[in-house]
Amino acid sequence: MLEKTICAVATGYDTGAISVIRVSGPDTFEILSKVFSKDLKDAPGYTAHYGILRNPETSDFVDEVIVTIYRAPRSYTGEDMAEVSCHGGRLVTSEVLMSLIEAGCELAERGEFTERAYLNGKMDLTKAEAINDVILARTKDQLALAGKELRGSVKKLLDPLKEDMVQVIGNIEVNIDYPEYEDVEVLTNETVAPKVEEWIAKIDEILKESEKGKLIREGVRTVIAGRTNAGKSSLFNALLEEDKAIVTDIEGTTRDIVEGEIRLETVTLLLQDTAGLRDTEDKVESIGIRKTKESIDKADLVIVVLDATKPMEDEDWDLLDITEGKNRIVVFNKKDLIDVPGYGIYISAKEGNISALIKEINERFAFCKDAVEKPALSNERHIGLLRKARVSLNDAREAIARGTELDLVCVDLHEAHNAIREIEGTYTKENLLDDIFSRFCLGK
């Protein structure tokens, strides 16, 4: 892959003042010299050159451009690299790109520039993923979290744990392979057990903090649930401040999941308006109700909407039972239709009077702010691998308790250590890189 020279539009095709086309690979300057009015083969790095870019086949004028030179290894990808700045616009950008391809470049795959940077040792995998997070950030907190990861916060968080583990694993391996080395401490199950407990405790601490980071990065999956005509869709629209969900007096209007997103003071809510819970013979509505229950199971937050103008019914009690133990907020809707609100959170979704609910949500998730201040994981892949490491360490703990030989215990320790290394990309599985970098945009 690294033998070919690639190019892609780094700024998109929207009309603007300039477009930037990125080129990287061993033939970067030879290819550019075919289309540019100056020979760039010997141009020094960190220099910019103004000239005319022409089609290599017809020599027709394409655009006036500036070519910025980056010499390996002092470039984003670690390879010879250049950025061609041309006038913005779909046609001229496409013509510049096609001229480079006709001169010998290949169109880059998604994320291929950053993948090359990783493969050439310019960054570890966590920093590479953080670049995509910076690009996709929609809130200041998401940007701050991605910025920390870009500066190496994940590596700094995991390195002490990883290095401590490798010291113990290395010691065990020396004991097994070179028993004649008397100056190396001989480890036993009794001396390794406390270290395993220490590592598990550290991982538990990181995972606890990482849940906050995940909520900031991905948002809080929030399900609005209740029986028919309790005002779920009205609340959904009031939170979004737009009429996205259909609101009528007819029961069973909402039959599928309706989604939206809203940014509050402390978190972003990924809202789902769901079908009202009730007994029904309607096949389509029944499917919607089943989806509602599945959404509740996966939710980070459930907002249970009760009708303040009516007594509790079986569906209300069933919903409270279903959401028992979940992170939930119970609200009484239609405050505008009753004389004296009782104890609890009362709202009027129809009138947009939902400030009490928003206040409760902000207070409920105020802890997420800690994730911006403290080092934490937020990427689902990272968290999943750390959980995998914990499982292997727990296997090691149980093996030690059974009196298993230390060389067999070391197998579990290796698996835990490899899972942590996989987070940074120093231990990878087949197709892992393709899966990660396929999520990137072209030209990045």
Side-chain angles (χ1 to χ4, degrees), residues 20-36:
V20 176
I21 294 89
R22 182 174 274 174
V23 184
S24 183
D27 299 324
T28 292
F29 304 120
E30 183 176 340
I31 290 172
L32 280 168
S33 296
K34 294 178 183 179
V35 298
F36 193 56

Side-chain angles (χ1 to χ4, degrees), residues 125-135 146-147 149-151 440:
L125 204 51
T126 63
K127 287 188 178 182
E129 289 171 299
I131 290 171
N132 205 39
D133 291 340
V134 167
I135 295 169
E149 293 174 358
L150 190 60
R151 296 192 299 273
F440 280 65

Side-chain angles (χ1 to χ4, degrees), residues 97-324:
L97 182 65
M98 290 307 301
S99 295
L100 290 167
I101 291 173
E102 290 175 13
C105 280
E106 293 188 31
L107 188 63
E109 301 289 341
R110 285 181 174 272
E112 190 171 352
F113 289 92
T114 305
E115 183 174 6
R116 289 185 175 211
Y118 162 72
L119 293 172
N120 288 321
K122 300 295 290 186
M123 61 184 74
D124 68 23
L125 204 51
T126 63
K127 287 188 178 182
E129 289 171 299
I131 290 171
N132 205 39
D133 291 340
V134 167
I135 295 169
L136 298 177
R138 304 182 309 279
T139 70
K140 289 184 178 180
D141 285 345
Q142 289 174 348
L143 182 58
L145 201 61
K148 284 201 314 178
E149 293 174 358
L150 190 60
R151 296 192 299 273
S153 65
V154 174
K155 180 176 176 60
K156 292 174 185 175
L157 183 64
L158 297 177
D159 268 359
L161 173 63
K162 185 180 66 175
E163 294 305 318
D164 196 22
M165 290 178 67
V166 81
Q167 288 289 335
V168 173
I169 293 170
N171 198 331
I172 294 172
E173 297 286 1
V174 170
N175 290 162
I176 295 170
D177 295 335
Y178 304 100
E180 67 275 12
Y181 283 14
E182 297 181 357
D183 56 341
V184 177
E185 179 186 4
V186 177
L187 298 182
T188 64
N189 282 356
E190 288 71 25
T191 55
V192 172
K195 297 299 295 184
V196 173
E197 294 293 341
E198 180 184 328
W199 298 333
I200 290 175
K202 180 61 178 177
I203 288 177
D204 286 342
E205 180 185 344
I206 294 173
L207 288 174
K208 182 179 178 181
E209 291 297 318
S210 296
E211 287 304 313
K212 304 173 186 177
K214 183 183 174 186
L215 290 176
I216 288 178
R217 183 178 187 268
E218 299 181 2
V220 177
R221 291 170 296 183
T222 305
V223 171
I224 302 174
R227 60 181 163 92
T228 56
N229 277 8
K232 301 181 304 301
S233 296
S234 294
L235 175 56
F236 180 81
N237 289 339
L239 284 166
L240 291 178
E241 297 183 343
E242 63 173 293
D243 293 333
K244 188 170 185 178
I246 298 172
V247 178
T248 73
D249 293 330
I250 303 171
E251 292 189 348
T253 303
T254 304
R255 296 184 169 209
D256 204 350
I257 306 297
V258 183
E259 299 181 335
E261 182 175 319
I262 178 177
R263 170 65 188 164
L264 299 183
E265 181 183 338
T266 56
V267 289
T268 296
L269 300 185
L270 307 178
L271 294 171
Q272 293 185 334
D273 180 25
T274 60
L277 298 180
R278 65 167 180 167
D279 292 327
T280 179
E281 299 297 324
D282 188 300
K283 186 175 181 180
V284 176
E285 189 178 354
S286 296
I287 294 172
I289 291 171
R290 175 175 55 80
K291 287 185 177 181
T292 295
K293 293 178 179 179
E294 291 173 355
S295 295
I296 288 173
D297 287 339
K298 299 175 183 177
D300 301 310
L301 172 67
V302 181
I303 301 175
V304 177
V305 183
L306 303 177
D307 189 336
T309 66
K310 297 179 180 179
M312 295 280 288
E313 297 184 6
D314 289 343
E315 290 88 349
D316 297 317
W317 293 114
D318 289 344
L319 181 57
L320 292 176
D321 286 340
I322 291 171
T323 58
E324 184 70 32

